Amino acid sequence: MVYEFLTSFLDIFSLLLDIVGLLLLLFSSILTVTRIVKAEIKTKETFKEIENIKRIFIQKIIFALDFFLVADLIKLVQVSSITEVISLAAIVLIRTILSWSLSKEIHLHQE
């Protein structure tokens, strides 16, 4: 009974983390598009402004990826077959590499 409750709780919690990550991505995308449109209309130094907008957007993508990573790690704890472990581990690895490469890009923009 405790195991079933814990499993259900972890399923719901990982789903909520996935939803939060998705909402962050959607909100950030909409906000970025509106900022780019405003920059194109109002700013004469569009390239510099768009680079700043891009840097902020990448930071928000990394933040959303962190939610997805935690949700995947919770799912990884729950899986029972080796096939599921391998596939979830691959997803975690890909998301970690993506997050790392985006972080490197942010550091390049700051220099």
Side-chain angles (χ1 to χ4, degrees):
M1 182 159 146
V2 173
Y3 177 77
E4 293 168 358
F5 172 76
L6 188 59
T7 303
S8 297
F9 174 75
L10 289 176
D11 283 339
I12 292 169
F13 190 66
S14 66
L15 178 65
L16 287 174
L17 289 171
D18 279 335
I19 291 171
V20 168
L22 181 63
L23 290 175
L24 281 170
L25 285 177
L26 289 173
F27 177 73
S28 299
S29 299
I30 292 168
L31 191 61
T32 299
V33 168
T34 57
R35 286 180 177 166
I36 288 174
V37 169
K38 285 180 184 178
E40 289 288 340
I41 293 171
K42 294 181 180 180
T43 309
K44 293 189 190 292
E45 295 182 26
T46 307
F47 179 76
K48 188 174 183 179
E49 182 67 25
I50 288 179
E51 286 297 312
N52 186 40
I53 293 168
K54 181 180 174 184
R55 183 184 50 80
I56 293 169
F57 183 53
I58 291 171
Q59 289 173 335
K60 291 179 182 182
I61 290 172
I62 292 171
F63 187 54
L65 277 172
D66 289 339
F67 281 94
F68 291 133
L69 268 172
V70 172
D72 287 340
L73 289 173
I74 290 171
K75 292 173 193 169
L76 191 60
V77 171
Q78 294 179 288
V79 297
S80 57
S81 74
I82 191 69
T83 309
E84 291 175 338
V85 169
I86 291 171
S87 65
L88 275 173
I91 290 170
V92 167
L93 180 65
I94 290 168
R95 288 186 177 168
T96 303
I97 291 170
L98 181 60
S99 182
W100 176 79
S101 66
L102 288 172
S103 295
K104 290 297 247 180
E105 187 170 338
I106 285 177
H107 291 296
L108 289 175
H109 285 288
Q110 290 175 347
E111 292 177 353

